[in-house]
Amino acid sequence: MITQIRTALLGRPLDPLEHETRHSLTLVAFLAWVGLGADGLSSSAYGPEEAFKALGGHAHFGLYLALATAATVFIIAFAYNQVIELFPTGGGGYRIASVLIGPHAGLVSGAALIVDYVLTVSISIAGGVDALFSMLPLGAQHFKLATEMALVVLLLWLNLRGAKESIRVLLPVFLGFVATHALLIVYGIAAHAHALPALFPATMSETTALAHDSGWVFTLALLLKAYSMGGGTYTGIEAVSNNVNALAEPRVRTGRVTMLYMAVSLAFTAGGIIFLYLLWNAAPVAGQTLNAVAFRAILAHAGLSGTALAVALGATLLFEAGLLLVAANTGFLGGPAVLANMAQDSWVPHQFRYLSNRLVTQNGVLLMGVAAGAMLLACGGQVDLLVVLYSINVFLTFSLSLLGLCRYWLGHREQQGWLRRLLLSSLGLLVTASILCVTVVEKFLQGGWVTLLLTGVVVALCLLVRAHYAHTRARIAEVDAVFAQQPPGDCTDTPALDPSRPTAVFIVGSSRGGGLHALLWVQRMFPGHFRNVVFISARTVDAQAYGGDGEIERLRASATATLDGFVAFCRSHGIPAASRLAFGTDAIETLTGMCRDLSNEYPNAVFFTSRLVFSRDNLLTRLLHNQAALAIQRRLHFDGLQMVILPMKV
């Protein structure tokens, strides 16, 4: 019954080794634009508003903001195209900082991205609910937080079913947003086309007057502050580079096309909305977003009133709120991808790289959902506070990535076009680093320190996790070195296996020392009893193996070589031996199934495996190392099969 309920909620299991499965899960450029580009496009719901409000009474400076916003989008997007070219297997800001600057720079970038994606989910849902409640009476505001929590649970469920499925569900919302906002922007600008010729001279006059009264330093500082306050507008541009492994082949071309879609749509929407604020004299109204105020004025100018105006405005804001939900979905796609890459480098528990039977990095999805829910509860679902927390880490990641690109092109001056790419990366670094510095200074006391503290805590935890894994690997290497000295025998005439005789079945991994430790222990404790030996191994198809070209084949070759080494060692000592290899997303399920099958073939089989035993067993060791041996033993004992776990002290 539990299996049936799980299948009904999450969908049927998928086979990672089938070619059609991989093909069915990859994203073409259009779907990638919807799933990964929605984060950037949705920021037009709050980024331009924050920037425009920062201008105060100098609304004419909105012209500079609109042009600077559009230009910045293209600069960052084109610079990040280089990330896609250099790292076509994904990883984005984390991978580029790790490889081109150093592992600790990669750690900072990865930690910033994790916090950033949690905030992506939080702020997108909060912003969407804000847009939705803009249409409702003020008394309805009490239900905002409960609505936000319900939406977190909904997106969590959709993403546990699979990325492509969640994107298809949210596709109509995305298209509705693009259509309604494009129409409003075009009409809103066209309706005031007569005012455009006078807009530029008026802006220049106001700039000159302010500079004369307050000085150019104050004028430029005001512009830079407003520009930086709109930093949330550029969030999500890095999402494509983080998820290149999810794109359809050829990945680089698909990534570049997706990035172009994203840059054009975001520059048009964000820049256009700032123009609308300026042309329609939008001013804050209690309980409404600035977008709602501007759109209401535009729709009224178009001749709508009464019910028709309410319906049209309601539909527009519903699509805006809905797109923010699509953007929140980007956090559920990007966050687990970053965690999987960091797990591969042992910065976070290895469980974050494992896939569910739906080929989803389930642990990462769950962490994103729980953390986003906690963030919303802590902030009370307030967009203003979340935006303060949000912008800092976005530009920290941007700056580290672009710094890495600058270092790369300086070291590869022999490549054609290096100077053009270096200049583009340098310009992007100058822009993003400037916004980062201004944002930290302006927002530090307003709550920006919380972001830096959270990122620092994540970095500290990652250092602790990596230190533990490094210590464990060193101890296992010592064991391997001891057993590497075990000489092979000189037997050349090993008898064939006899399934009716006592058989020792060893569950082994990639460690030669662990396998030989178990084998020699059994021979010492049960001399001459077991006449057959079978080695079995189940390799986990994790996010790295499934996302990289040829990774499963390399994994198969490595596992086969390890098993062949065990079999050859036994046969050289006159012990009949064989091996079995299987792949799956759940090692426990796969190994349990293999053991059950072998018990039918070898009715007198006893199963053995090694388990790491630490001198100080605590919550950290239990969290960082799975309990697969104990789980398999419980299942086999329930089936009446014998399994012995041998301690391997590290």
Side-chain angles (χ1 to χ4, degrees):
M1 183 181 295
I2 293 175
T3 302
Q4 290 175 345
I5 293 173
R6 180 184 177 87
T7 302
L9 289 175
L10 303 181
R12 63 176 181 83
L14 300 174
D15 184 355
L17 301 183
E18 287 186 5
H19 175 72
E20 287 303 315
T21 300
R22 166 73 184 170
H23 178 72
S24 66
L25 294 178
T26 54
L27 302 174
V28 297
F30 178 75
L31 288 179
W33 176 44
V34 176
L36 302 174
D39 182 19
L41 194 56
S42 71
S43 62
S44 60
Y46 52 82
E49 179 173 351
E50 291 296 317
F52 195 75
K53 285 180 177 177
L55 291 175
H58 306 284
H60 275 80
F61 285 2
L63 176 62
Y64 299 135
L65 277 185
L67 297 175
T69 297
T72 303
V73 168
F74 281 107
I75 289 171
I76 297 175
F78 289 154
Y80 260 78
N81 272 337
Q82 302 174 58
V83 178
I84 296 173
E85 294 174 7
L86 293 174
F87 298 90
T89 57
Y94 165 71
R95 185 58 61 197
I96 197 169
S98 297
V99 175
L100 301 184
I101 302 178
H104 288 91
L107 168 61
V108 173
S109 181
L113 280 170
I114 291 172
V115 176
D116 176 50
Y117 278 123
V118 171
L119 289 169
T120 293
V121 178
S122 305
I123 195 172
S124 297
I125 289 177
V129 172
D130 260 11
L132 178 63
F133 276 72
S134 292
M135 302 179 293
L136 302 177
L138 286 175
Q141 302 291 319
H142 300 294
F143 301 100
K144 283 173 59 175
L145 187 58
T147 305
E148 290 166 1
M149 299 306 295
L151 290 173
V152 170
V153 174
L154 174 64
L155 289 175
L156 181 62
W157 170 63
L158 285 174
N159 281 276
L160 288 175
R161 289 184 63 88
K164 199 166 187 177
E165 195 160 331
S166 65
I167 291 172
R168 283 174 172 165
V169 170
L170 300 170
L171 175 60
V173 175
F174 182 89
L175 296 179
F177 174 92
V178 171
T180 54
H181 283 64
L183 287 172
L184 284 168
I185 291 170
V186 171
Y187 179 84
I189 295 175
H192 278 65
H194 61 279
L196 292 178
L199 179 62
F200 295 95
T203 302
M204 296 301 298
S205 298
E206 183 172 342
T207 304
T208 305
L210 182 63
H212 181 268
D213 294 339
S214 304
W216 281 105
V217 173
F218 175 82
T219 303
L220 293 175
L222 175 65
L223 283 170
L224 186 58
K225 176 184 176 181
Y227 176 62
S228 301
M229 291 301 100
T233 305
Y234 317 112
T235 59
I237 295 178
E238 82 292 342
V240 177
S241 65
N242 289 334
N243 293 271
V244 180
N245 59 316
L247 302 181
E249 298 288 354
R251 291 179 181 175
V252 173
R253 182 180 180 279
T254 303
R256 291 172 66 90
V257 173
T258 304
M259 192 68 83
L260 179 62
Y261 290 167
M262 183 189 300
V264 171
S265 59
L266 178 56
F268 172 79
T269 306
I273 286 176
I274 295 177
F275 258 120
L276 295 183
Y277 295 159
L278 176 60
L279 294 173
W280 291 86
N281 299 316
V285 175
Q288 296 186 37
T289 63
L290 211 55
N291 283 11
V293 174
F295 294 160
R296 184 185 295 275
I298 294 170
L299 291 170
H301 183 275
L304 299 180
S305 61
T307 304
L309 174 60
V311 170
L313 180 61
T316 302
L317 295 179
L318 275 175
F319 281 125
E320 190 170 279
L323 184 72
L324 285 160
L325 294 183
V326 183
N329 197 61
T330 303
F332 282 105
L333 299 177
V338 174
L339 285 166
N341 277 285
M342 295 183 72
Q344 187 62 36
D345 295 335
S346 297
W347 289 116
V348 298
H350 291 162
Q351 289 89 326
F352 283 109
R353 71 173 192 243
Y354 297 153
L355 300 173
S356 69
N357 59 11
R358 291 288 294 173
L359 303 183
V360 173
T361 45
Q362 178 174 283
N363 293 324
V365 172
L366 290 171
L367 178 63
M368 290 294 111
V370 172
M375 185 68 70
L376 286 169
L377 289 173
C379 296
Q382 297 180 21
V383 175
D384 292 345
L385 179 55
L386 288 169
V387 168
V388 171
L389 301 178
Y390 192 32
S391 304
I392 294 176
N393 273 6
V394 173
F395 287 95
L396 176 58
T397 300
F398 281 159
S399 300
L400 287 172
S401 299
L402 293 168
L403 175 61
L405 287 174
C406 291
R407 290 191 61 182
Y408 178 83
W409 293 118
L410 282 173
H412 292 77
R413 292 190 294 273
E414 72 282 357
Q415 294 190 23
Q416 186 176 4
W418 71 272
L419 182 58
R420 171 177 54 83
R421 296 182 177 187
L422 174 61
L423 292 175
L424 176 61
S425 302
S426 301
L427 178 60
L429 176 60
L430 176 64
V431 170
T432 56
S434 300
I435 295 177
L436 173 63
C437 293
V438 173
T439 304
V440 170
V441 172
E442 285 290 330
K443 296 186 176 182
F444 185 81
L445 295 179
Q446 300 174 28
W449 63 271
V450 177
T451 301
L452 299 177
L453 177 62
L454 287 175
T455 306
V457 169
V458 174
V459 168
L461 290 174
C462 290
L463 289 170
L464 179 64
V465 169
R466 188 178 171 101
H468 174 82
Y469 279 132
H471 173 73
T472 303
R473 279 196 301 270
R475 296 301 302 269
I476 292 175
E478 293 174 4
V479 175
D480 285 346
V482 170
F483 285 100
Q485 307 302 320
Q486 291 291 326
D490 53 7
C491 180
T492 58
D493 188 21
T494 305
L497 284 85
D498 183 354
S500 64
R501 308 191 76 178
T503 302
V505 180
F506 294 95
I507 301 173
V508 297
S510 58
S511 169
R512 175 179 171 84
L516 290 182
H517 165 265
L519 173 65
L520 297 177
W521 189 93
V522 169
Q523 285 184 323
R524 185 174 68 253
M525 298 301 295
F526 307 99
H529 177 70
F530 293 104
R531 300 309 178 109
N532 304 314
V533 171
V534 178
F535 295 95
I536 64 172
S537 181
R539 294 305 171 93
T540 303
V541 181
D542 57 20
Q544 184 197 32
Y546 194 64
D549 291 332
E551 284 296 327
I552 292 181
E553 288 71 21
R554 283 190 281 272
L555 188 64
R556 186 190 303 276
S558 173
T560 301
T562 300
L563 290 172
D564 288 347
F566 288 134
V567 171
F569 180 84
C570 288
R571 289 178 177 173
S572 70
H573 288 278
I575 305 171
S579 65
R580 303 285 174 83
L581 174 64
F583 293 87
T585 56
D586 188 332
I588 296 173
E589 289 284 350
T590 306
L591 285 168
T592 303
M594 294 175 73
C595 292
R596 288 167 179 161
D597 292 341
L598 279 169
S599 68
N600 294 327
E601 186 176 349
Y602 297 91
N604 296 310
V606 178
F607 299 90
F608 298 91
T609 191
S610 295
R611 177 174 178 263
L612 298 180
V613 176
F614 297 90
S615 56
R616 294 181 180 178
D617 188 24
N618 50 41
L619 179 61
L620 179 64
T621 59
R622 289 192 290 273
L623 176 66
L624 299 185
H625 301 275
N626 64 43
Q627 307 298 315
L630 294 174
I632 295 170
Q633 185 185 55
R634 282 195 299 269
R635 297 186 184 195
L636 294 185
H637 284 181
F638 186 79
D639 292 341
L641 302 177
Q642 298 302 313
M643 178 174 174
V644 180
I645 297 178
L646 309 175
M648 181 175 170
K649 185 178 178 180
V650 294

